[in-house]
Amino acid sequence: MRTQVAIIGGGPSGLLLSHLLNRAGIETVVLERQSRDYVLSRIRAGVLERGTVDLLHRAGVGARMTREGHTHSGCYLTHDQQMIRMDFAAACGAAVTVYGQTEVTRDLYDAQDAIGAQHIHGVEAVALHDLDSARPHITYTLDGQSHRLDCDFIAGCDGFHGVSRKAIPANLRREYEKVYPFGWLGVLSETPPLHEELIYANHPRGFALASMRNPMLSRYYIQVPLSDKVQDWSDAAFWEEFSARMPEDVAAGLITGPSIEKSIAPLRSFVSEPMRYGALFLCGDAAHIVPPTGAKGLNLAASDVHYLSTGLLAHYNEKDSAGLDDYSQKALARVWQAMRFSWQVTTLMHHFPEHSDYDRQMQRVELMQLATNPAAQRMFAENYTGLPY
Ligand code: RFL
Ligand code: PHB
């Protein structure tokens, strides 16, 4: 089999790239290890930057997001009992859209079906070959049979645990990593959200986040030690701990219910450079991971796809390869900005086991600066709603 761009991974990066390319007449094949149902059952990100929203509209998949997504022009940071509003609209004239990654992925699959894009689910033993030659190709097995896919380019959109990144020779790859000493326990529940905007809570007992998907679906998180297991946390224990970390007057309005999903995600920052090797281009979590505190993971995947799709379009339509040559450098410049913001908000809002009283005073004064200083508010708002690309 032959295609122009072979895409490994049918998560949001792979699907969005496939859709933008197909709409421009460039042929793709998406190879995904899991079933479509499995991909659509993963509960992940919930906040879309304005750039991601614009890109989804440009890809022609924004209609349901416009109908069902919710525009948020601010969020709250709390410090014990104090609520500090970050007013994005006043600080930088921008907003974010609350619309789940699951819904973005579903819209992309539906749109891909409508144009007959090629997806192969259930592939195993995916391997990349001859990346630094004019004949790159992929081998894989499907239902026990071996297959070969020849292509011009390979997009590695296979997430942090995928095979693409490791196909770049180790001596040409530089990895940067920071592992945080805690994780987030997340609960999805069919209850009205605690508040109309997101609340990020810094509390002596640990961080908590009140988020949402829609008026009858809430997403809540609490910081937990890495040693905790999901089965250690009954729903009742979760609600009690979550309430204790929110300001008392806000927690008084919490409506609890059974969890319909409960999972623990470790927090990690990771960047692998460069994001290109010969015919291979990495996108999204395959190249970088951020802790979820800044809500940047999915949004970085979208900006990578923007740079790569623009480069591929110029290559095929105008025989201009400058965008492909610049891809790694441009994408990484934005990745590092989001790394810094995610690290800053993670450090500001969590309870670190090794923190001294001095470190906690630093968190307090930084939060007070965000509460009172328009320059600090603008910097937060610009980064949260998304730097331009
Ligand atoms: P994905 O979504 O991981 O998709 C990669 C796809 O590649 C497939 N795959 C393979 N396919 C073929 N062959 C192989 N060898 C393969 N290996 C893997 C996988 O099955 C999968 O379908 O990466 P992508 O597309 O780059 O998208 C990135 C986003 O998913 C990610 O940045 C965010 O979801 C990160 N993230 C969060 N971001 C936020 O902004 N807010 C959040 O609340 C948030 N929560 C999360 C998250 C990521 C999590 N992960 C990765 C464990 C919670 C979790 C649990
Ligand atoms: C979510 O709703 O899942 C969510 C929102 C904001 C974050 C992280 C996760 O910073």
Side-chain angles (χ1 to χ4, degrees), residues 182-216:
F182 40 73
W184 281 15
L185 168 64
V187 156
L188 192 67
S189 88
E190 287 170 322
T191 49
L194 176 62
H195 196 274
E196 64 219 16
E197 292 184 336
L198 274 70
I199 303 176
Y200 292 83
N202 173 314
H203 191 276
R205 298 178 72 97
F207 171 79
L209 168 60
S211 182
M212 66 209 69
R213 292 291 177 272
N214 64 49
M216 259 319 281

Side-chain angles (χ1 to χ4, degrees), residues 8-14 31-34 39 42-46 101 123 126 157-163 221 265 283-286 292 295-298 301:
I8 308 177
S13 320
L31 300 176
E32 167 59 51
R33 190 176 53 172
Q34 306 286 358
V39 173
R42 294 190 291 226
I43 311 292
R44 291 186 176 173
Q101 176 169 333
V123 297
V126 170
C157 301
D158 48 352
F160 182 64
H161 299 286
V163 291
Y221 298 94
C283 275
D285 280 18
K296 290 285 162 257
L298 175 60

Side-chain angles (χ1 to χ4, degrees), residues 71-354:
T71 303
H72 284 216
S73 54
C75 74
Y76 287 87
L77 307 180
T78 79
H79 186 240
D80 203 356
Q81 300 302 316
Q82 187 186 352
M83 294 270 277
I84 303 164
R85 178 139 194 277
M86 295 288 101
D87 186 335
F88 310 145
C92 72
V96 292
T97 298
V98 171
Y99 189 65
Q101 176 169 333
T102 316
E103 307 312 319
V104 171
T105 310
R106 191 185 304 280
D107 293 344
L108 283 164
Y109 269 124
D110 289 348
Q112 288 266 275
D113 287 348
I115 61 171
Q118 296 188 76
H119 297 171
I120 304 173
H121 283 269
V123 297
E124 292 176 319
V126 170
L128 297 77
H129 307 275
D130 298 336
L131 297 174
D132 55 353
S133 80
R135 295 177 58 98
H137 64 279
I138 298 174
T139 54
Y140 60 94
T141 61
L142 182 67
D143 301 328
Q145 303 268 3
S146 300
H147 296 269
R148 172 176 168 141
L149 175 59
D150 287 283
C151 54
D152 302 332
F153 298 106
I154 299 172
C157 301
D158 48 352
F160 182 64
H161 299 286
V163 291
S164 300
R165 181 178 67 251
K166 293 165 202 143
I168 302 179
N171 62 328
L172 300 181
R173 227 185 317 135
R174 173 132 194 223
E175 296 186 347
Y176 302 82
E177 184 171 48
K178 181 172 178 66
V179 177
Y180 295 89
F182 40 73
W184 281 15
L185 168 64
V187 156
L188 192 67
S189 88
E190 287 170 322
T191 49
L194 176 62
H195 196 274
E196 64 219 16
E197 292 184 336
L198 274 70
I199 303 176
Y200 292 83
N202 173 314
H203 191 276
R205 298 178 72 97
F207 171 79
L209 168 60
S211 182
M212 66 209 69
R213 292 291 177 272
N214 64 49
M216 259 319 281
L217 195 57
S218 299
R219 181 70 167 158
Y220 298 120
Y221 298 94
I222 56 172
Q223 172 188 350
V224 292
L226 282 173
S227 51
D228 279 18
K229 301 274 170 285
V230 173
Q231 54 273 23
D232 299 337
W233 285 91
S234 66
D235 286 359
F238 177 87
W239 293 123
E240 193 182 328
E241 188 58 38
F242 174 79
S243 307
R245 297 181 187 191
M246 286 285 147
E248 280 161 20
D249 49 344
V250 177
L254 177 69
I255 298 173
T256 63
S259 63
I260 56 169
E261 194 264 358
K262 200 188 276 167
S263 51
I264 294 182
L267 266 66
R268 182 200 301 268
S269 301
F270 172 84
V271 183
S272 180
E273 296 185 345
M275 288 172 60
R276 176 190 187 174
Y277 171 66
L280 170 66
F281 295 82
L282 301 179
C283 275
D285 280 18
H288 43 74
I289 299 272
V290 281
T293 330
K296 290 285 162 257
L298 175 60
N299 293 299
L300 279 181
S303 56
D304 289 352
V305 166
H306 163 74
Y307 292 128
L308 182 55
S309 59
T310 308
L312 287 166
L313 259 61
H315 169 86
Y316 282 112
N317 297 339
E318 294 148 37
K319 302 203 174 347
D320 174 1
S321 290
L324 291 181
D325 294 339
D326 287 352
Y327 169 72
S328 180
Q329 195 193 336
K330 271 194 187 156
L332 282 167
R334 194 169 189 280
V335 164
W336 278 112
Q337 298 266 13
M339 284 286 149
R340 188 208 64 80
F341 181 67
S342 305
W343 161 82
Q344 180 198 15
V345 188
T346 302
T347 309
L348 177 66
M349 299 307 292
H350 288 78
H351 183 86
F352 286 73
E354 71 274 20

Side-chain angles (χ1 to χ4, degrees), residues 16 48 51-62 65 99 104 108:
L16 181 56
L48 307 183
T52 306
V53 170
D54 290 348
L55 185 59
L56 291 169
H57 281 303
R58 267 187 278 140
V61 292
M65 174 177 66
Y99 189 65
V104 171
L108 283 164

